Amino acid sequence: MKDYKSLKALDHFKRLFEKFGIDYDSMRKILQLKLTMDTRRIPPMLNGQKIKKEKNLFLSSLWIYVLYGTLGLMPFLFLPSQYIFPMGIVFTVLMFISMTAMVSDFSAVLLDIRDKNILQPKPINSRTLNAAKIMHIVIYLSMLNSALIFIPLIVGVIRFGILFGLLFMLMTALLSCFIVVLTALIYLVILRFFSGEKLKDLINYVQIILTVVIMVGYQFMSRSFELTRFSVTYHFEWWHSFLPPLWYSAFVEMILHQHWSGQLVLLSILGVLMPILSIVLYVKLMPTFERNLSKLLSDSSRQKGKMYRWTIMWSKILCKDPQERVFFNFASLMMSKERSFKLKAYPQVGFALIIPFIFLFNTSRSFSMQVIQENGSVMVLYFTLIMLPALIHLLKFSDKYKSHWIYRVAPVQDERIFYRATLKACYVKLFLPLFSLVSILFIAIFKWRILPDIGIMLLISILLLWVSYAIGNKEIYPFSSSLEATQDTNTIRLLGSMLLLGLLVLVHLCLSYVPYGIVFYAVLLIGAILWGWKYSFGKRKVKNA
């Protein structure tokens, strides 16, 4: 197996690991195996083709984070103010992206129990097993953050000097460690107090809550500074002690501007102390984490409840073909029961739930409610639709992807029912309840006059459903690819779906000022939906991972 550079870097901390009771050699061997396995995953779109060279798909996708860092972080380095403001924004964005990746992509790694059967009988203690899992995440999160700060770091060094670059890298490393350990501690608390099906459900709810907390925390961070004319000023408040990005921006401000006020010193100490204390606490609780992780192996079956009866009801409403009805129920059960799928899908739901209200709240700070109601702010409801392309993309993946043979042996003549049933199930199960809830709250704010707009949004969501499928999932059976390959090269396709959504929103906004424009738009959308629903599903080739 290849001796990776990340492992060679870890070798410098061997004694530190051993002081915490971790068998470093075993941990390194497990990590080496995991990293090697990561290079052997084949993206669904390359199935059936010969891969000339082992390649880590995660590394291939890092260019998009370099682009995010260049467009989203670098401009703040040119703001004419103290370091604490631009660096506070930079660390907030970094924390936002890292936490999002941690919740949606790396939670499955942290809660992975598949290797327990292989490694647990071996003479490897649970602390070493857990440390390997955490370091596996840290390596990937470090690569992600390195890609994000790559261009801003170069620009910062040119603009502010070498010391700024060193501080930037050090603070990013501390922030990354804190995020990983904090997420692990949250899961540890949940694993400690809950078990069985309740635990599995709660983990998914916690993901939604974490997503909401990230977004709300981002809002608090932006309100820590006061914008007066053309300058930004900072005044310390006690609640700033709970905002990690301020800890690290205060550190940069303190060192580079030699600003040794008590508040900045306090925030800087928190920035260094909290990650260290979190790591020490988590290392002590590692055996407990691994022990409680086995609760996820419990297979307590449930009785058919109201949720299942809802699925049956929707299948009868939406699927006239009895065979399509069967696959509708099958897809609904897959989305309900498969924990790995929910770990990746539910954070998207959390974002879609909170973003419209955050935009509405931000607007309400500048304008009265009457002005908001009269100026088309209902359009922010479209933010609930942004989760659809990502959800459709996830419908390709499953832990049980090797069971895709069921599509071949099923006595079905028309394969289109697989795709139609799965899309309908996804729409009814994940999108419609969320959209209905947010719409009811918006109707309470904007009154019944927004009903035509909500109708247009529903039509656009159905249109986006099959367009996202046609762009991203064509020729691949539902749930027929490994979840480990979700980091494939579909970013461009997802962006394509987003651009289409933006275009449709723009047309909606323009036609809302034209007499009968909404009616005309609705007719066009219904025509497009009927055409697409009829012709976008054909017989597909078998694609698996």
Side-chain angles (χ1 to χ4, degrees), residues 149-263:
I149 69 168
F150 180 66
I151 299 297
L153 181 66
I154 294 173
V155 172
V157 169
I158 294 171
R159 187 167 160 76
F160 304 117
I162 296 289
L163 183 58
F164 171 86
L166 293 174
L167 285 173
F168 193 7
M169 287 192 289
L170 177 64
M171 296 300 107
T172 303
L174 285 171
L175 182 64
S176 303
C177 289
F178 181 67
I179 289 168
V180 173
V181 177
L182 179 68
T183 311
L185 284 171
I186 291 170
Y187 282 128
L188 190 148
V189 172
I190 299 165
L191 289 166
R192 172 70 181 81
F193 293 104
F194 297 93
S195 60
E197 289 295 329
K198 188 181 288 186
L199 168 65
K200 295 172 186 176
D201 290 341
L202 198 67
I203 286 173
N204 298 125
Y205 298 143
V206 164
Q207 281 193 303
I208 296 178
I209 293 168
L210 276 177
T211 307
V212 173
V213 168
I214 292 167
M215 291 299 296
V216 174
Y218 187 84
Q219 298 304 308
F220 270 104
M221 182 65 201
S222 63
R223 281 159 180 71
S224 304
F225 300 94
E226 187 178 336
L227 184 63
T228 53
R229 295 190 176 183
F230 297 105
S231 64
V232 179
T233 54
Y234 171 72
H235 300 289
F236 178 79
E237 300 286 349
W238 64 269
W239 50 270
H240 292 177
S241 307
F242 298 96
L243 298 175
L246 271 182
W247 302 345
Y248 301 105
S249 60
F251 198 100
V252 177
E253 173 71 24
M254 186 182 74
I255 298 295
L256 293 183
H257 271 166
Q258 297 292 302
H259 192 175
W260 302 95
S261 71
Q263 294 92 344

Side-chain angles (χ1 to χ4, degrees), residues 348-502:
Q348 308 290 339
V349 177
F351 277 123
L353 175 67
I354 193 69
I355 288 179
F357 294 102
I358 285 177
F359 273 86
L360 203 60
F361 177 71
N362 285 338
T363 311
S364 69
R365 296 183 76 225
S366 305
F367 303 98
S368 67
M369 189 52 71
Q370 188 179 356
V371 173
I372 291 171
Q373 288 173 341
E374 291 173 355
N375 286 280
S377 296
V378 69
M379 292 298 165
V380 298
L381 190 53
Y382 269 110
F383 281 104
T384 54
L385 272 65
I386 60 174
M387 71 173 184
L388 272 174
L391 287 180
I392 302 303
H393 170 65
L394 285 175
L395 289 177
K396 290 185 291 187
F397 305 103
S398 169
D399 270 343
K400 308 290 188 300
Y401 65 96
K402 289 182 180 175
S403 302
H404 70 268
W405 53 264
I406 194 171
Y407 298 110
R408 282 298 184 85
V409 299
V412 172
Q413 295 298 321
D414 184 1
E415 289 188 346
R416 291 178 298 180
I417 65 170
F418 301 147
Y419 314 107
R420 286 202 302 253
T422 306
L423 290 179
K424 288 175 184 175
C426 174
Y427 190 80
V428 167
K429 193 160 189 63
L430 296 175
F431 174 76
L432 203 55
L434 172 81
F435 186 77
S436 302
L437 174 65
V438 179
S439 297
I440 290 170
L441 295 172
F442 266 62
I443 288 172
I445 298 169
F446 292 95
K447 310 303 177 190
W448 294 102
R449 65 183 180 80
I450 66 167
L451 270 181
D453 294 309
I454 290 178
I456 292 292
M457 290 174 195
L458 268 176
L459 289 174
I460 288 179
S461 67
I462 298 170
L463 184 68
L464 194 64
L465 196 68
W466 73 257
V467 169
S468 299
Y469 161 79
I471 292 175
N473 292 30
K474 208 168 185 178
E475 299 186 357
I476 300 176
Y477 282 133
F479 311 111
S480 64
S481 302
S482 170
L483 266 167
E484 294 171 344
T486 48
Q487 293 285 351
D488 61 14
T489 54
N490 263 1
T491 307
I492 296 296
R493 295 176 182 179
L494 289 175
L495 286 176
S497 299
M498 294 293 187
L499 286 175
L500 174 69
L501 175 60

Side-chain angles (χ1 to χ4, degrees), residues 22 58 107 109 133 137 214 233 263 319 322 334 413 420 450 501 527:
I22 295 163
F58 182 81
S107 289
V109 178
K133 216 178 279 184
I137 295 172
I214 292 167
T233 54
Q263 294 92 344
C319 308
M334 287 293 291
Q413 295 298 321
R420 286 202 302 253
I450 66 167
L501 175 60

Side-chain angles (χ1 to χ4, degrees), residues 113-114 116-117 120 199-200 292-300 339:
I113 47 180
R114 288 172 299 180
K116 283 182 83 72
N117 294 333
Q120 210 165 29
L199 168 65
K200 295 172 186 176
N292 290 326
L293 209 54
S294 58
K295 290 179 180 179
L296 292 173
L297 290 168
S298 64
D299 191 23
S300 53
R339 188 166 54 86

